[in-house]
Amino acid sequence: MQTSIIEQLRNTAAGKEADAILRSCVHCGFCTATCPTYQLLGDELDGPRGRIYLIKQMLEGNEVTEKTQLHLDRCLTCRSCETTCPSGVKYGRLVEIGREVVEERVGRSWPQRVIRKLLRMITPYPARLKTLVRLGGLFKPLLPVALKAKLPNTAAHQPWPAPRHARRMLVLQGCAQEAVKPSTNAATARVLDRLGISLIAAPEAGCCGAVSYHLNAHEEGLNFMRRNIDAWWPAIEAGAEAIVMTASGCGAMVKDYGELLRHDPAYAAKAARVASLTKDLSEILAKEDLSVLGKRGNGRRIAFQTPCTLQHAQKLNGVVEGLLRQVGFELTPVPDGHLCCGSAGTYSVLQSELSQRLLQNKLAALESGKPELIATANIGCHMHLETQAKRPVKHWIEVLDAAL
Protein backbone atom coordinates (compact mmCIF):
# COMPACT_ATOMS: atom_id res chain seq x y z
CA MET A 1 0.00 0.00 0.00
CA GLN A 2 1.41 3.39 -0.99
CA THR A 3 1.27 6.11 1.66
CA SER A 4 1.75 9.84 2.01
CA ILE A 5 1.91 10.51 5.74
CA ILE A 6 1.63 14.20 6.65
CA GLU A 7 4.88 15.90 7.60
CA GLN A 8 4.02 16.47 11.26
CA LEU A 9 3.68 12.70 11.74
CA ARG A 10 6.08 11.34 9.12
CA ASN A 11 9.24 11.64 11.21
CA THR A 12 7.80 10.65 14.57
CA ALA A 13 8.44 7.14 15.93
CA ALA A 14 4.71 6.31 15.73
CA GLY A 15 4.42 7.79 12.24
CA LYS A 16 7.35 5.77 10.92
CA GLU A 17 6.00 2.60 12.50
CA ALA A 18 2.50 3.16 11.11
CA ASP A 19 3.91 3.92 7.66
CA ALA A 20 5.84 0.64 7.61
CA ILE A 21 2.79 -1.33 8.73
CA LEU A 22 0.52 0.33 6.15
CA ARG A 23 3.00 -0.39 3.36
CA SER A 24 2.99 -4.10 4.26
CA CYS A 25 -0.76 -4.40 3.58
CA VAL A 26 -1.67 -5.70 0.09
CA HIS A 27 -5.47 -5.13 0.30
CA CYS A 28 -6.18 -8.88 -0.07
CA GLY A 29 -9.14 -8.90 2.34
CA PHE A 30 -8.40 -12.29 3.88
CA CYS A 31 -8.65 -10.56 7.26
CA THR A 32 -12.35 -9.78 6.86
CA ALA A 33 -13.21 -13.48 6.86
CA THR A 34 -11.98 -13.94 10.43
CA CYS A 35 -12.95 -10.56 11.92
CA PRO A 36 -15.67 -10.96 14.58
CA THR A 37 -17.08 -7.43 14.21
CA TYR A 38 -17.20 -7.63 10.41
CA GLN A 39 -19.11 -10.91 10.70
CA LEU A 40 -21.62 -9.29 13.05
CA LEU A 41 -22.05 -5.94 11.31
CA GLY A 42 -21.18 -6.63 7.67
CA ASP A 43 -19.61 -3.17 7.31
CA GLU A 44 -16.23 -2.93 5.59
CA LEU A 45 -15.29 -0.14 8.01
CA ASP A 46 -15.88 -2.54 10.91
CA GLY A 47 -13.31 -4.98 9.54
CA PRO A 48 -9.50 -4.76 9.52
CA ARG A 49 -9.14 -3.69 5.88
CA GLY A 50 -11.64 -0.85 6.30
CA ARG A 51 -10.05 0.31 9.54
CA ILE A 52 -6.63 0.27 7.88
CA TYR A 53 -7.99 2.62 5.19
CA LEU A 54 -9.46 4.89 7.88
CA ILE A 55 -6.11 5.06 9.68
CA LYS A 56 -4.27 5.67 6.42
CA GLN A 57 -6.59 8.56 5.50
CA MET A 58 -6.22 10.03 8.98
CA LEU A 59 -2.42 9.88 8.91
CA GLU A 60 -2.45 11.49 5.47
CA GLY A 61 -4.31 14.52 6.85
CA ASN A 62 -7.88 13.77 5.81
CA GLU A 63 -10.87 14.67 7.96
CA VAL A 64 -11.30 12.68 11.18
CA THR A 65 -14.72 12.40 12.80
CA GLU A 66 -16.43 10.66 15.69
CA LYS A 67 -17.55 8.06 13.14
CA THR A 68 -13.89 7.24 12.48
CA GLN A 69 -13.37 6.88 16.21
CA LEU A 70 -16.42 4.61 16.55
CA HIS A 71 -15.16 2.18 13.91
CA LEU A 72 -11.74 1.99 15.62
CA ASP A 73 -13.34 1.64 19.07
CA ARG A 74 -15.45 -1.28 17.84
CA CYS A 75 -12.29 -3.26 17.06
CA LEU A 76 -11.71 -5.94 19.70
CA THR A 77 -7.96 -5.97 19.05
CA CYS A 78 -8.38 -9.76 19.09
CA ARG A 79 -5.71 -9.99 16.33
CA SER A 80 -7.49 -12.83 14.58
CA CYS A 81 -6.75 -10.90 11.39
CA GLU A 82 -3.02 -11.15 12.12
CA THR A 83 -3.27 -14.94 12.23
CA THR A 84 -5.00 -14.90 8.84
CA CYS A 85 -2.90 -12.22 7.12
CA PRO A 86 -0.45 -13.65 4.55
CA SER A 87 1.62 -10.44 4.60
CA GLY A 88 2.28 -10.28 8.34
CA VAL A 89 0.57 -6.90 8.83
CA LYS A 90 0.95 -5.82 12.48
CA TYR A 91 -2.63 -4.67 12.67
CA GLY A 92 -2.86 -4.65 16.49
CA ARG A 93 -0.06 -2.13 16.76
CA LEU A 94 -1.48 -0.04 13.89
CA VAL A 95 -4.91 0.28 15.48
CA GLU A 96 -3.31 1.43 18.75
CA ILE A 97 -1.51 4.21 16.89
CA GLY A 98 -4.72 5.10 15.05
CA ARG A 99 -6.75 5.30 18.24
CA GLU A 100 -4.21 7.60 19.85
CA VAL A 101 -4.20 9.96 16.88
CA VAL A 102 -7.99 10.06 16.52
CA GLU A 103 -8.43 10.75 20.24
CA GLU A 104 -6.02 13.68 19.99
CA ARG A 105 -8.00 15.12 17.08
CA VAL A 106 -11.59 14.31 18.05
CA GLY A 107 -11.46 13.98 21.83
CA ARG A 108 -14.22 12.21 23.74
CA SER A 109 -17.50 13.15 25.36
CA TRP A 110 -17.41 13.66 29.12
CA PRO A 111 -19.35 10.39 29.85
CA GLN A 112 -16.78 8.45 27.81
CA ARG A 113 -13.92 10.19 29.59
CA VAL A 114 -15.44 9.44 33.00
CA ILE A 115 -15.99 5.72 32.39
CA ARG A 116 -12.52 5.29 30.91
CA LYS A 117 -10.98 7.12 33.85
CA LEU A 118 -12.92 4.94 36.30
CA LEU A 119 -11.74 1.78 34.54
CA ARG A 120 -8.14 3.00 34.87
CA MET A 121 -8.65 4.00 38.52
CA ILE A 122 -10.23 0.72 39.64
CA THR A 123 -9.38 -2.28 37.47
CA PRO A 124 -5.55 -2.24 37.81
CA TYR A 125 -5.74 -2.06 41.62
CA PRO A 126 -6.78 -5.32 43.32
CA ALA A 127 -7.74 -3.70 46.64
CA ARG A 128 -10.04 -1.20 44.93
CA LEU A 129 -11.54 -3.88 42.70
CA LYS A 130 -12.15 -6.19 45.66
CA THR A 131 -13.95 -3.39 47.48
CA LEU A 132 -16.16 -2.68 44.48
CA VAL A 133 -17.00 -6.38 44.06
CA ARG A 134 -17.89 -6.65 47.78
CA LEU A 135 -20.14 -3.60 47.54
CA GLY A 136 -21.78 -5.07 44.46
CA GLY A 137 -22.44 -8.28 46.39
CA LEU A 138 -24.02 -6.38 49.29
CA PHE A 139 -26.37 -4.44 47.03
CA LYS A 140 -26.96 -7.23 44.51
CA PRO A 141 -30.67 -7.67 45.38
CA LEU A 142 -31.25 -4.02 44.48
CA LEU A 143 -29.33 -4.03 41.19
CA PRO A 144 -30.91 -4.28 37.72
CA VAL A 145 -30.82 -7.76 36.18
CA ALA A 146 -28.25 -6.75 33.54
CA LEU A 147 -25.90 -5.39 36.20
CA LYS A 148 -26.37 -8.40 38.48
CA ALA A 149 -25.17 -10.66 35.66
CA LYS A 150 -21.93 -8.70 35.38
CA LEU A 151 -20.95 -9.26 39.02
CA PRO A 152 -18.14 -11.86 39.03
CA ASN A 153 -18.24 -15.06 41.05
CA THR A 154 -15.31 -14.73 43.41
CA ALA A 155 -13.06 -17.51 44.67
CA ALA A 156 -11.42 -17.60 48.09
CA HIS A 157 -7.67 -17.39 48.65
CA GLN A 158 -6.06 -20.80 48.94
CA PRO A 159 -2.71 -21.74 50.50
CA TRP A 160 0.38 -22.08 48.31
CA PRO A 161 3.01 -24.77 48.89
CA ALA A 162 6.03 -23.33 50.69
CA PRO A 163 9.06 -22.83 48.40
CA ARG A 164 11.14 -26.00 48.71
CA HIS A 165 12.68 -26.69 45.30
CA ALA A 166 15.91 -25.56 43.69
CA ARG A 167 13.94 -24.64 40.57
CA ARG A 168 12.04 -21.41 41.09
CA MET A 169 9.77 -19.36 38.85
CA LEU A 170 8.10 -15.99 39.30
CA VAL A 171 4.39 -15.48 38.75
CA LEU A 172 2.42 -12.35 37.97
CA GLN A 173 -0.48 -12.24 40.41
CA GLY A 174 -2.16 -9.58 38.29
CA CYS A 175 -4.98 -7.22 39.17
CA ALA A 176 -8.43 -8.58 38.28
CA GLN A 177 -7.30 -12.19 38.74
CA GLU A 178 -5.77 -11.45 42.12
CA ALA A 179 -8.98 -9.74 43.22
CA VAL A 180 -11.54 -12.20 41.84
CA LYS A 181 -9.86 -15.56 41.11
CA PRO A 182 -6.78 -15.95 43.36
CA SER A 183 -7.47 -19.70 43.24
CA THR A 184 -5.92 -19.78 39.76
CA ASN A 185 -2.39 -18.95 40.87
CA ALA A 186 -2.76 -21.15 43.96
CA ALA A 187 -3.64 -24.10 41.71
CA THR A 188 -0.66 -23.25 39.50
CA ALA A 189 1.65 -23.28 42.52
CA ARG A 190 0.38 -26.72 43.57
CA VAL A 191 0.74 -28.28 40.12
CA LEU A 192 4.24 -26.87 39.63
CA ASP A 193 5.20 -28.03 43.12
CA ARG A 194 4.37 -31.59 42.07
CA LEU A 195 6.71 -31.10 39.13
CA GLY A 196 9.60 -29.93 41.33
CA ILE A 197 9.19 -26.19 40.74
CA SER A 198 8.48 -23.58 43.40
CA LEU A 199 6.33 -20.64 42.34
CA ILE A 200 7.08 -17.31 43.96
CA ALA A 201 5.36 -13.93 43.73
CA ALA A 202 6.75 -10.42 44.03
CA PRO A 203 4.20 -8.50 46.14
CA GLU A 204 5.28 -5.16 44.65
CA ALA A 205 4.26 -6.28 41.14
CA GLY A 206 0.71 -5.62 39.97
CA CYS A 207 -1.21 -4.85 36.80
CA CYS A 208 0.71 -5.70 33.65
CA GLY A 209 -0.14 -2.27 32.22
CA ALA A 210 -2.64 -3.46 29.62
CA VAL A 211 -5.70 -1.65 31.01
CA SER A 212 -4.09 1.79 30.89
CA TYR A 213 -2.08 1.21 27.73
CA HIS A 214 -5.07 0.01 25.71
CA LEU A 215 -7.14 2.98 26.90
CA ASN A 216 -4.57 5.38 25.39
CA ALA A 217 -2.99 6.25 28.76
CA HIS A 218 0.33 5.04 27.39
CA GLU A 219 2.71 6.60 29.91
CA GLU A 220 0.57 5.34 32.78
CA GLY A 221 0.71 1.86 31.27
CA LEU A 222 4.48 2.09 30.83
CA ASN A 223 4.84 3.03 34.49
CA PHE A 224 3.01 -0.15 35.51
CA MET A 225 5.50 -2.05 33.35
CA ARG A 226 8.48 -0.33 34.95
CA ARG A 227 7.14 -1.12 38.42
CA ASN A 228 6.81 -4.80 37.57
CA ILE A 229 10.34 -4.94 36.16
CA ASP A 230 11.69 -3.38 39.36
CA ALA A 231 9.69 -5.83 41.48
CA TRP A 232 10.90 -8.89 39.54
CA TRP A 233 14.50 -7.90 39.00
CA PRO A 234 15.97 -9.17 42.33
CA ALA A 235 14.46 -12.63 41.73
CA ILE A 236 15.67 -12.60 38.13
CA GLU A 237 19.19 -11.79 39.28
CA ALA A 238 18.87 -14.60 41.84
CA GLY A 239 18.23 -17.10 39.06
CA ALA A 240 14.45 -17.33 38.54
CA GLU A 241 13.92 -19.60 35.52
CA ALA A 242 10.88 -17.89 34.10
CA ILE A 243 8.05 -15.46 34.72
CA VAL A 244 4.90 -17.56 34.54
CA MET A 245 1.71 -16.03 33.14
CA THR A 246 -1.59 -17.65 34.10
CA ALA A 247 -3.66 -14.97 32.33
CA SER A 248 -2.96 -15.00 28.61
CA GLY A 249 -3.89 -11.33 28.25
CA CYS A 250 -1.20 -10.35 30.74
CA GLY A 251 1.22 -12.72 29.05
CA ALA A 252 0.71 -11.08 25.67
CA MET A 253 1.41 -7.67 27.20
CA VAL A 254 4.48 -8.67 29.26
CA LYS A 255 6.01 -10.40 26.23
CA ASP A 256 5.81 -6.96 24.55
CA TYR A 257 7.67 -5.11 27.33
CA GLY A 258 10.93 -5.18 25.38
CA GLU A 259 9.28 -3.59 22.35
CA LEU A 260 7.25 -1.03 24.28
CA LEU A 261 10.18 0.13 26.43
CA ARG A 262 12.84 -0.09 23.76
CA HIS A 263 13.35 3.70 23.74
CA ASP A 264 13.70 3.96 27.54
CA PRO A 265 17.46 3.96 28.28
CA ALA A 266 16.91 3.03 31.93
CA TYR A 267 14.64 0.06 31.21
CA ALA A 268 15.20 -1.13 27.62
CA ALA A 269 17.69 -3.90 28.47
CA LYS A 270 15.78 -5.07 31.54
CA ALA A 271 12.48 -5.02 29.65
CA ALA A 272 13.96 -7.17 26.90
CA ARG A 273 15.22 -9.63 29.52
CA VAL A 274 11.81 -9.76 31.23
CA ALA A 275 10.08 -10.34 27.88
CA SER A 276 12.44 -13.20 27.05
CA LEU A 277 11.77 -14.90 30.41
CA THR A 278 8.00 -14.55 30.18
CA LYS A 279 6.16 -17.79 29.42
CA ASP A 280 2.53 -18.75 29.39
CA LEU A 281 1.85 -21.54 31.89
CA SER A 282 1.10 -23.90 29.01
CA GLU A 283 4.60 -23.32 27.61
CA ILE A 284 6.08 -24.32 30.97
CA LEU A 285 4.06 -27.52 31.34
CA ALA A 286 4.62 -28.51 27.71
CA LYS A 287 8.33 -28.93 28.50
CA GLU A 288 7.83 -30.92 31.71
CA ASP A 289 7.33 -34.66 32.22
CA LEU A 290 3.62 -34.87 33.03
CA SER A 291 3.68 -38.64 33.49
CA VAL A 292 4.05 -38.00 37.24
CA LEU A 293 0.54 -36.54 37.17
CA GLY A 294 -0.99 -39.68 35.67
CA LYS A 295 -4.19 -39.86 33.61
CA ARG A 296 -6.35 -38.11 36.16
CA GLY A 297 -8.78 -36.62 33.66
CA ASN A 298 -10.64 -39.95 33.50
CA GLY A 299 -12.27 -39.01 30.20
CA ARG A 300 -14.15 -36.00 31.58
CA ARG A 301 -15.53 -33.89 28.76
CA ILE A 302 -14.26 -30.30 28.66
CA ALA A 303 -14.81 -27.46 26.20
CA PHE A 304 -11.74 -25.25 26.02
CA GLN A 305 -12.19 -21.60 25.05
CA THR A 306 -8.90 -20.46 23.56
CA PRO A 307 -8.48 -16.76 24.39
CA CYS A 308 -7.49 -14.50 21.52
CA THR A 309 -4.41 -13.45 23.44
CA LEU A 310 -3.30 -17.08 23.59
CA GLN A 311 -4.00 -18.15 19.99
CA HIS A 312 -3.52 -14.92 18.02
CA ALA A 313 -1.15 -12.79 20.11
CA GLN A 314 1.07 -15.53 21.57
CA LYS A 315 0.53 -18.10 18.77
CA LEU A 316 -0.07 -20.94 21.25
CA ASN A 317 -3.21 -22.40 19.74
CA GLY A 318 -3.67 -26.07 20.64
CA VAL A 319 -1.05 -26.21 23.40
CA VAL A 320 -3.45 -26.28 26.37
CA GLU A 321 -5.73 -28.73 24.59
CA GLY A 322 -2.77 -31.07 24.09
CA LEU A 323 -1.84 -30.89 27.76
CA LEU A 324 -5.38 -31.64 28.91
CA ARG A 325 -5.62 -34.63 26.58
CA GLN A 326 -2.25 -35.84 27.82
CA VAL A 327 -3.59 -36.13 31.37
CA GLY A 328 -6.80 -37.86 30.34
CA PHE A 329 -9.46 -35.23 29.57
CA GLU A 330 -11.66 -35.39 26.47
CA LEU A 331 -11.92 -32.09 24.58
CA THR A 332 -15.28 -31.44 22.97
CA PRO A 333 -15.41 -29.68 19.56
CA VAL A 334 -15.79 -25.88 19.56
CA PRO A 335 -16.98 -24.47 16.20
CA ASP A 336 -15.37 -21.18 15.11
CA GLY A 337 -12.85 -21.43 17.93
CA HIS A 338 -10.85 -18.56 16.40
CA LEU A 339 -13.57 -16.01 17.19
CA CYS A 340 -13.46 -13.71 20.23
CA CYS A 341 -15.80 -14.23 23.19
CA GLY A 342 -16.37 -10.46 23.44
CA SER A 343 -14.47 -9.81 26.66
CA ALA A 344 -11.38 -8.18 25.14
CA GLY A 345 -10.19 -6.34 28.23
CA THR A 346 -12.49 -3.36 28.81
CA TYR A 347 -14.48 -3.99 25.59
CA SER A 348 -17.29 -5.74 27.47
CA VAL A 349 -17.89 -2.48 29.35
CA LEU A 350 -17.25 0.04 26.57
CA GLN A 351 -18.99 -1.90 23.75
CA SER A 352 -21.45 -3.94 25.76
CA GLU A 353 -24.04 -4.60 23.00
CA LEU A 354 -21.52 -6.09 20.58
CA SER A 355 -19.79 -7.87 23.43
CA GLN A 356 -23.00 -9.61 24.47
CA ARG A 357 -23.72 -10.76 20.91
CA LEU A 358 -20.24 -12.25 20.67
CA LEU A 359 -20.67 -13.88 24.08
CA GLN A 360 -23.89 -15.62 23.08
CA ASN A 361 -22.28 -16.94 19.90
CA LYS A 362 -19.24 -18.18 21.82
CA LEU A 363 -21.28 -19.92 24.51
CA ALA A 364 -23.44 -21.63 21.89
CA ALA A 365 -20.26 -22.95 20.27
CA LEU A 366 -18.69 -24.04 23.58
CA GLU A 367 -21.82 -25.77 24.83
CA SER A 368 -22.65 -27.45 21.51
CA GLY A 369 -20.53 -30.50 22.37
CA LYS A 370 -22.29 -30.93 25.75
CA PRO A 371 -19.17 -30.66 27.97
CA GLU A 372 -19.25 -31.03 31.74
CA LEU A 373 -17.55 -27.68 32.11
CA ILE A 374 -15.85 -24.88 30.19
CA ALA A 375 -12.16 -24.15 30.67
CA THR A 376 -10.28 -21.02 29.65
CA ALA A 377 -6.86 -19.42 30.09
CA ASN A 378 -7.57 -15.74 30.69
CA ILE A 379 -9.23 -13.93 33.58
CA GLY A 380 -11.20 -11.52 31.36
CA CYS A 381 -12.67 -14.37 29.31
CA HIS A 382 -13.31 -16.32 32.51
CA MET A 383 -15.36 -13.55 34.11
CA HIS A 384 -17.20 -12.78 30.85
CA LEU A 385 -18.17 -16.38 30.08
CA GLU A 386 -19.25 -16.97 33.65
CA THR A 387 -21.94 -14.27 33.45
CA GLN A 388 -24.10 -16.29 31.04
CA ALA A 389 -22.72 -19.86 30.90
CA LYS A 390 -25.02 -22.76 31.78
CA ARG A 391 -22.03 -24.85 32.83
CA PRO A 392 -19.23 -24.17 35.32
CA VAL A 393 -16.34 -22.09 33.99
CA LYS A 394 -12.82 -22.71 35.33
CA HIS A 395 -9.25 -21.83 34.48
CA TRP A 396 -7.73 -24.93 32.91
CA ILE A 397 -5.04 -25.23 35.57
CA GLU A 398 -7.74 -25.41 38.27
CA VAL A 399 -9.37 -28.24 36.33
CA LEU A 400 -6.04 -30.06 36.20
CA ASP A 401 -5.28 -29.37 39.86
CA ALA A 402 -8.70 -30.65 40.99
CA ALA A 403 -8.04 -33.94 39.17
CA LEU A 404 -4.75 -34.59 41.00
Side-chain angles (χ1 to χ4, degrees):
M1 180 183 290
Q2 292 186 343
T3 61
S4 182
I5 308 295
I6 58 175
E7 188 174 353
Q8 67 194 72
L9 291 172
R10 190 183 307 143
N11 294 319
T12 65
K16 290 177 181 177
E17 187 176 6
D19 190 40
I21 296 170
L22 286 168
R23 287 176 179 272
S24 67
C25 177
V26 297
H27 324 273
C28 66
F30 287 177
C31 53
T32 58
T34 56
C35 175
T37 52
Y38 179 77
Q39 289 195 14
L40 284 181
L41 302 172
D43 187 335
E44 177 80 7
L45 296 180
D46 284 311
R49 184 168 61 178
R51 293 184 181 115
I52 286 172
Y53 277 117
L54 288 175
I55 294 168
K56 177 180 183 291
Q57 290 171 350
M58 178 170 56
L59 297 179
E60 291 179 340
N62 291 293
E63 182 184 11
V64 181
T65 67
E66 290 182 359
K67 189 171 182 289
T68 306
Q69 188 174 59
L70 176 62
H71 289 302
L72 297 189
D73 282 350
R74 281 177 177 165
C75 173
L76 293 142
T77 325
C78 67
R79 296 169 65 177
S80 180
C81 55
E82 292 187 14
T83 298
T84 311
C85 179
S87 303
V89 175
K90 296 180 179 179
Y91 170 82
R93 178 58 186 143
L94 181 65
V95 81
E96 282 185 353
I97 295 170
R99 284 171 173 162
E100 184 176 20
V101 174
V102 77
E103 192 157 329
E104 288 173 356
R105 294 194 189 176
V106 176
R108 290 194 180 275
S109 65
W110 72 263
Q112 288 182 344
R113 293 198 303 271
V114 168
I115 193 168
R116 286 167 177 264
K117 181 66 173 178
L118 286 172
L119 286 167
R120 287 166 41 214
M121 288 176 62
I122 296 171
T123 309
Y125 301 94
R128 299 176 192 178
L129 188 57
K130 285 177 188 175
T131 300
L132 185 65
V133 170
R134 288 195 197 102
L135 287 173
L138 288 173
F139 292 100
K140 188 172 183 177
L142 306 176
L143 296 176
V145 174
L147 194 53
K148 283 180 184 178
K150 289 184 180 292
L151 284 176
N153 297 325
T154 57
H157 275 276
Q158 298 173 15
W160 287 31
R164 61 193 180 101
H165 302 291
R167 296 181 66 190
R168 295 195 175 196
M169 295 182 181
L170 281 160
V171 66
L172 175 66
Q173 290 179 297
C175 47
Q177 184 166 278
E178 172 63 12
V180 180
K181 303 290 183 184
S183 53
T184 299
N185 280 342
T188 302
R190 288 191 293 271
V191 172
L192 289 179
D193 182 68
R194 285 173 174 260
L195 298 172
I197 302 168
S198 288
L199 196 65
I200 56 176
E204 299 83 5
C207 177
C208 65
V211 173
S212 298
Y213 199 85
H214 292 319
L215 288 175
N216 278 336
H218 288 175
E219 193 56 36
E220 183 176 276
L222 293 174
N223 283 333
F224 278 113
M225 299 174 201
R226 294 180 183 108
R227 184 188 69 177
N228 288 342
I229 292 169
D230 289 340
W232 290 327
W233 202 250
I236 291 172
E237 289 188 314
E241 261 185 67
I243 306 170
V244 181
M245 296 290 148
T246 55
S248 62
C250 299
M253 175 56 76
V254 179
K255 285 183 177 182
D256 275 347
Y257 277 17
E259 177 70 14
L260 296 172
L261 288 166
R262 68 190 184 281
H263 298 303
D264 185 329
Y267 282 89
K270 288 183 177 181
R273 175 68 174 150
V274 163
S276 70
L277 286 173
T278 300
K279 305 292 179 187
D280 183 77
L281 175 59
S282 64
E283 293 180 276
I284 300 295
L285 293 194
K287 293 183 177 179
E288 299 299 320
D289 179 8
L290 301 190
S291 63
V292 298
L293 304 181
K295 298 284 186 179
R296 302 299 182 89
N298 294 320
R300 291 185 66 195
R301 293 168 56 80
I302 295 174
F304 182 66
Q305 180 262 340
T306 314
C308 300
T309 44
L310 192 68
Q311 61 175 319
H312 303 309
Q314 298 192 60
K315 310 298 184 188
L316 295 173
N317 199 21
V319 178
V320 173
E321 295 94 321
L323 292 169
L324 290 172
R325 290 189 183 100
Q326 192 175 337
V327 294
F329 291 98
E330 180 184 345
L331 276 293
T332 60
V334 181
D336 294 324
H338 63 283
L339 292 178
C340 183
C341 70
S343 171
T346 57
Y347 192 93
S348 60
V349 176
L350 299 173
Q351 301 288 334
S352 59
E353 190 271 333
L354 285 176
S355 174
Q356 286 299 308
R357 289 172 65 182
L358 290 165
L359 174 62
Q360 294 306 320
N361 291 344
K362 177 58 70 174
L363 285 173
L366 288 165
E367 294 174 347
S368 65
K370 297 181 170 52
E372 293 179 42
L373 58 85
I374 296 168
T376 185
N378 188 53
I379 181 60
C381 304
H382 191 157
M383 293 166 62
H384 192 51
L385 294 168
E386 209 169 40
T387 62
Q388 300 290 339
K390 297 174 184 176
R391 292 167 171 78
V393 180
K394 299 284 186 183
H395 191 288
W396 67 271
I397 195 64
E398 293 184 72
V399 177
L400 178 55
D401 177 54
L404 300 180

